[in-house]
Amino acid sequence: MRVPLSWLREYVDVPQDAAPEDVLAALVSVGFEEEDVFRFELQGPIVVGEVLEFVEEPQSNGKTIRWCQVRVAPDGEKAADGGDAVHGVVCGARNFFVGDKVVVTLPGAVLPGPFPIAARKTYGHVSDGMIASAKELGLGDEHNGILRLVELGIDAPVGTDAIALLGLDDVAVDINVTPDRGYALSIRGVAREYSHATGAAFRDPADREWSEVAPGSGFPVAVDDRAPIRGRVGASEFVARVVRDVDPTKPTPAWMVARLTLAGIRSLGILIDITNYVMLELGQPIHGYDLDKLQGGITVRRAAEGEKLETLDGKVRTLSGEDLLITDDSGPIGLAGVMGGGTTEMSASTRNVLIEAATFDTVSIARTARRHKLPSEASRRFERGVDPLVPFVAARRVADLMVEYAGGTSDDELGGALFAEVFIAGIELPPLFVQHLIGVAYTDEQIENALRLIGCEVVPNEDDAAGWQVIPPSWRPDLTDKWTLAEEVARIEGYDRIPSILPTPPSGRGLTAAQQGRRRVANALASAGFVETPSFAFTTDELNDLHGSASGDHLPSVKLANPLDGQSPFLRRSLVPGLLQVAHRNVSRGLTDLTLFETGSVFLPEPGVIYGTAHVPPLAVRPDAATLAELDASIPPQRRFVAVLLAGNVVAKQPGIAPVAADLADALDAVRTIASAAGVSIDVAQGQRAALHPGRTGVLSVAGTEVGYVGELLPAVAEASDLPGRVIVAELDLDLVLSLAGEKVVAASLSGYPAATQDVSLVLGADVPASEVREALREGAGELLESLRLVDDYRGQGVPEGAKSLTFALRFRAPDRTLTAAEATEAKLAGVAAAAARFGATLRE
């Protein structure tokens, strides 16, 4: 909210010497956030000048300029820049006449930009200054000619300081207004808060007698809301006033244009400027209709589904049944509280105006503004809540300004109003509640004074009972319970009084075993050189089937009703699609050597189960236990996965060293890193997946339970992601891996005795997985076997067709003695016997 200080001073006593920073400091002390300071970036001398004469001179470039003689100081006096009273000025505009009063920027002046003014030679003359347009002065966006003061209704003496004359010496402070404090989106609200902060006298612009603001009658106004949202009628108040015989061509006063500009509102003509001015002043959005374009009376109703309306921005909008409309006998003429319609807008031909000031339901307005992507200054205020006692005052204020500045006549006999009694429920504030909640020993007097200061009615409980009944003011719909009242006491008394005490953390807390395990895995991968790349959890149905299913068959996926990206509306079943996107983004930017990983949730809906809810629980109300249970049941199963991706080289080319491309062995190393951090032993067996290369795919398991896969992407799959070369991935169910590890990982004791090493080569069927042979050797060799590692897989000469030779390196060690060669051999042969019994394996000679 931008607040011009000259405007603020009308309603609260801000010292004349107060700097903008002083005002911001005061507002910050009562809970606002400081944003910025806005000024007209001008520097004098900028004065009122009179055009004495001009000569039009055509130029060789086809342009015609005017060589003007302009009086910038009274006759016989020096100009503000020290020069003569009459200056010669070159001007390219042609919309002014001899005798016009204009704004002249003299040498030494600076215009917004910054654009310094100096005497300079142009078009064969020395132009001693510049005649300014409204845009050059920062008063608007239009640049269709010179600013003629007669158009603003100004006839000031020559030489008058134009900066002060036009209100360009004003300054505005900008504060951030949180959604719960909509009352501060007005000069009235900010003035009240400045008064709270400083104790300065506050004058309420809405404090007017009912006899002054009561509208006439005879204009039909009705509310016909047959589908109220949450049972709240769309319009609780509607005030209509009529002003006749306005002149829409009259100029907006310069001070009003300056204030609107500083407040961030563009001047659009006297009628619209007045409605915007009152909205900023009182916080009550106003809409004006061309009365002669209206057909019959006004009815506020819900739209029919699919109904059309052309709004003031020229767009035809298809309406929802929840949209609240302003209608006349011809149909919709405006989106209530958001934007008016084009058929009844005020224009240069408007002579009679119907003024609307209303109170609309906050939820209705907020939903309409978001549904149509149509935020406006009006909707911004309505969706936060406006003071229900202000519409009558605001409508009268608009009428008064149109009479004063647009030459109209207020028709106090014709008008209309719909309103209900404003009832504000009292809040029970128990004794000592504020003190205990805030942690400050406020006295009862301080609490009462703070609440009365913000406009509350505070009544002590009867029969000497402690505590109070508090009725919030009409402009504070955010004060709904004792906690919000306590916050107000803390705000008014000063946040600096609240002690800063760190709470003592309870003992015995910390990360859960699962959280610790996930952190160990992530840290281990990062330490191994992988880069963590979190990605969005959204993908396509096709990618879910390709990477989330081993066979590539269709699996159920959760589709979002309102996805961030319409092309990726499904929740992921695998982390691999996100890693492929990250890899593609890096490769497209020249980063081709990649080792990436991600830990995150995947969503695994069960077939036949419909997830989500049929309705959205209402806001601002805690759901009951049944609703919470329904919400929990509507969420699909989610598990934490970990995935890695390797592409390009793991060793870059360098002097004396050839590049080493990433391959399946590097992915297996990453899997072992995960296993070590999780405290499990992962076995690898050959497998198949739809997205992976046959023969280069492994199934990962822990103690016989499948936990993931590793493999090289099919070239076609890598190419579809625009990834050149080989791409290797691995993905594991991290939650499952950690659960299989148990709660504690016990480190094995170290033996002080030497090891005995032996190798064994077994010939067996080519279809027997090496992992199963290794397990058979381990079981047969017994407790003396310390380590078992596959070192060779040979298929060729000397090995029968359909068979293979697997060579394992074995390491034996006893905890209490040095093993003999015979003991090691005996244990090895026991393992060979187990493999022979299970797979028909024989020793290779």
Side-chain angles (χ1 to χ4, degrees):
M1 174 69 187
R2 296 187 188 181
V3 183
L5 294 191
S6 66
W7 204 349
L8 187 65
R9 287 187 173 100
E10 289 189 9
Y11 303 118
V12 67
D13 292 339
V14 180
Q16 291 298 322
D17 59 350
E21 292 74 16
D22 299 330
V23 176
L24 282 173
L27 294 175
V28 167
S29 70
V30 286
F32 293 102
E33 295 179 9
E34 174 184 344
E35 291 289 334
D36 206 348
V37 175
F38 291 88
R39 296 178 172 88
F40 291 101
E41 301 296 336
L42 298 169
Q43 179 180 317
I46 301 176
V47 299
V48 174
E50 180 182 1
V51 179
L52 301 178
E53 62 176 357
F54 58 79
V55 178
E56 294 191 344
E57 299 179 355
Q59 304 297 311
S60 59
N61 60 5
K63 182 177 180 180
T64 299
I65 62 98
R66 287 181 174 182
W67 171 237
C68 310
Q69 299 299 312
V70 184
R71 182 179 299 280
V72 295
D75 192 21
E77 297 183 13
K78 288 291 186 180
D81 64 339
D84 295 335
V86 177
H87 281 40
V89 179
V90 173
C91 186
R94 306 179 66 182
N95 68 314
F96 59 93
F97 308 95
V98 171
D100 274 348
K101 296 284 183 68
V102 294
V103 177
V104 183
T105 57
L106 300 176
V110 179
L111 296 180
F115 179 57
I117 303 299
R120 63 188 185 94
K121 188 172 183 179
T122 179
Y123 295 110
H125 300 281
V126 175
S127 183
D128 203 12
M130 185 181 78
I131 305 176
S133 68
K135 181 177 181 180
E136 289 164 338
L137 294 171
L139 281 174
D141 296 329
E142 296 186 6
H143 192 32
N144 53 6
I146 292 305
L147 176 63
R148 301 172 62 224
L149 295 182
V150 66
E151 294 179 348
L152 299 179
I154 296 176
D155 184 18
V158 169
T160 301
D161 181 4
I163 293 178
L165 178 69
L166 299 177
L168 302 180
D169 55 351
D170 202 357
V171 59
V173 295
D174 190 12
I175 56 174
N176 179 38
V177 177
T178 53
D180 61 326
R181 300 175 71 181
Y183 68 93
L185 291 174
S186 66
I187 302 299
R188 178 195 184 207
V190 176
R192 179 182 281 109
E193 290 298 323
Y194 182 85
S195 172
H196 296 165
T198 63
F202 168 67
R203 297 170 290 279
D204 191 351
D207 186 12
R208 300 184 67 170
E209 296 294 332
W210 171 251
S211 58
E212 297 181 67
V213 302
S217 59
F219 187 86
V221 176
V223 176
D224 184 19
D225 187 359
R226 301 181 183 180
I229 297 177
R230 300 182 189 171
R232 293 189 294 199
V233 177
S236 56
E237 288 186 315
F238 197 101
V239 183
R241 299 193 74 99
V242 173
V243 178
R244 299 189 181 276
D245 301 323
V246 297
D247 181 359
T249 64
K250 280 185 171 291
T252 302
W255 58 266
M256 184 179 290
V257 174
R259 287 181 176 180
L260 289 174
T261 302
L262 279 176
I265 303 292
R266 185 163 53 99
S267 177
L268 296 172
I270 183 62
L271 300 181
I272 297 176
D273 287 350
I274 287 174
T275 60
N276 285 335
Y277 186 84
V278 173
M279 175 187 68
L280 293 174
E281 183 174 74
L282 298 177
Q284 171 66 53
I286 301 289
H287 189 70
Y289 301 90
D290 188 323
L291 181 62
D292 300 324
K293 295 178 182 178
L294 286 172
Q295 300 181 28
I298 283 181
T299 300
V300 183
R301 63 170 174 84
R302 298 286 171 181
E305 195 70 36
E307 196 170 3
K308 306 287 184 181
L309 169 66
E310 181 179 352
T311 46
L312 287 172
D313 56 3
K315 295 182 179 180
V316 177
R317 302 183 183 275
T318 301
L319 305 177
S320 161
E322 283 192 348
D323 291 332
L324 193 66
L325 295 181
I326 308 297
T327 67
D328 65 1
D329 291 350
S330 68
I333 58 173
L335 271 175
V338 179
M339 184 174 285
T343 58
T344 57
E345 70 173 315
M346 297 183 294
S347 65
S349 61
T350 298
R351 291 295 175 267
N352 301 304
V353 176
L354 179 78
I355 302 164
E356 167 207 299
T359 301
F360 296 118
D361 175 49
T362 57
V363 175
S364 294
I365 303 308
R367 289 188 180 181
T368 294
R370 285 158 178 73
R371 182 180 301 113
H372 296 285
K373 297 180 173 62
L374 194 59
S376 64
E377 290 292 334
S379 66
R380 185 183 176 205
R381 287 163 173 80
F382 277 127
E383 65 190 21
R384 287 163 169 78
V386 299
D387 187 346
L389 301 182
V390 162
F392 293 91
V393 177
R396 181 71 205 197
R397 174 70 165 150
V398 171
D400 291 345
L401 291 175
M402 285 187 177
V403 169
E404 183 175 358
Y405 295 107
T409 302
S410 179
D411 188 343
D412 294 335
E413 299 300 322
L414 182 62
L418 285 176
F419 58 94
E421 181 181 355
V422 177
F423 173 76
I424 303 174
I427 301 171
E428 176 72 24
L429 184 60
L432 300 179
F433 174 79
V434 175
Q435 294 90 329
H436 290 165
L437 181 66
I438 305 301
V440 177
Y442 300 116
T443 65
D444 288 352
E445 183 181 4
Q446 288 173 329
I447 293 174
E448 290 185 17
N449 290 342
L451 294 175
R452 289 194 176 101
L453 184 64
I454 64 173
C456 293
E457 182 181 343
V458 183
V459 180
N461 287 326
E462 297 180 359
D463 300 328
D464 297 327
W468 304 268
Q469 281 289 326
V470 181
I471 301 177
S474 59
W475 57 86
R476 292 299 301 272
D478 58 307
L479 301 182
T480 57
D481 49 43
K482 57 186 178 181
W483 290 275
T484 53
L485 294 179
E487 290 173 359
E488 287 299 296
V489 172
R491 185 174 69 87
I492 296 301
E493 285 295 317
Y495 293 129
D496 56 326
R497 292 190 60 185
I498 301 176
S500 178
I501 302 174
L502 291 176
T504 302
S507 60
R509 301 296 178 89
L511 299 178
T512 64
Q515 290 172 329
Q516 292 175 354
R518 290 196 291 266
R519 289 199 179 187
R520 285 199 308 271
V521 169
N523 291 338
L525 286 171
S527 299
F530 286 81
V531 178
E532 186 172 12
T533 57
S535 58
F536 286 119
F538 314 121
T539 186
T540 64
D541 203 20
E542 294 77 11
L543 288 177
N544 263 345
D545 292 341
L546 180 62
H547 296 286
S549 167
S551 63
D553 295 336
H554 178 68
L555 290 174
S557 298
V558 178
K559 186 176 183 180
L560 300 176
N562 187 24
L564 290 176
D565 182 357
Q567 296 181 344
S568 300
F570 292 90
L571 292 176
R572 64 189 178 189
R573 294 185 63 97
S574 167
L575 301 180
V576 172
L579 287 176
L580 291 175
Q581 288 184 352
V582 173
H584 165 69
R585 191 176 301 115
N586 280 273
V587 168
S588 67
R589 288 159 175 76
L591 304 174
T592 57
D593 299 335
L594 302 172
T595 51
L596 311 175
F597 84 96
E598 178 179 2
T599 61
S601 296
V602 297
F603 305 85
L604 308 174
E606 299 175 2
V609 179
I610 298 176
Y611 296 96
T613 56
H615 64 279
V616 178
L619 301 177
V621 177
R622 177 178 173 81
D624 57 25
T627 302
L628 290 174
E630 180 186 0
L631 291 173
D632 288 339
S634 71
I635 301 173
Q638 303 176 43
R639 298 192 66 82
R640 287 269 188 171
F641 276 28
V642 58
V644 299
L645 179 146
L646 300 97
N649 297 324
V650 292
V651 176
K653 182 181 179 180
Q654 48 194 302
I657 301 177
V660 178
D663 60 13
L664 194 58
D666 298 300
L668 287 171
D669 284 341
V671 170
R672 295 187 187 99
T673 298
I674 294 171
S676 176
V680 298
S681 176
I682 291 183
D683 297 321
V684 185
Q686 194 168 27
Q688 288 187 337
R689 288 187 72 88
L692 301 184
H693 198 294
R696 301 177 187 171
T697 301
V699 175
L700 307 175
S701 59
V702 175
T705 301
E706 184 176 330
V707 296
Y709 64 88
V710 62
E712 180 181 328
L713 286 182
L714 286 168
V717 175
E719 185 178 351
S721 297
D722 296 323
L723 296 176
R726 302 169 65 184
V727 179
I728 301 93
V729 297
E731 185 171 33
L732 296 88
D733 184 335
L734 186 54
D735 284 346
L736 180 57
V737 170
L738 293 173
S739 68
L740 293 171
E743 293 186 0
K744 293 183 179 180
V745 177
V746 180
S749 60
L750 297 177
S751 173
Y753 295 93
T757 59
Q758 295 197 16
D759 292 342
V760 63
S761 296
L762 300 176
V763 178
L764 66 169
D767 59 343
V768 178
S771 61
E772 296 183 14
V773 178
R774 182 177 58 199
E775 188 61 29
L777 285 171
R778 186 187 304 278
E779 292 177 3
E783 294 182 354
L784 293 179
L785 181 63
E786 182 180 79
S787 172
L788 174 64
R789 183 166 54 92
L790 177 67
V791 295
D792 187 42
D793 182 340
Y794 175 74
R795 310 177 195 209
Q797 187 176 358
V799 176
E801 185 73 23
K804 61 183 178 182
S805 172
L806 300 179
T807 301
F808 293 90
L810 299 87
R811 185 170 70 238
F812 299 94
R813 195 191 309 265
D816 56 351
R817 68 188 187 279
T818 300
L819 289 177
T820 65
E823 287 177 309
T825 300
E826 181 182 356
K828 177 185 74 172
L829 292 177
V832 171
R838 194 172 300 179
F839 306 111
T842 60
L843 283 170
R844 182 181 173 189
E845 299 179 356

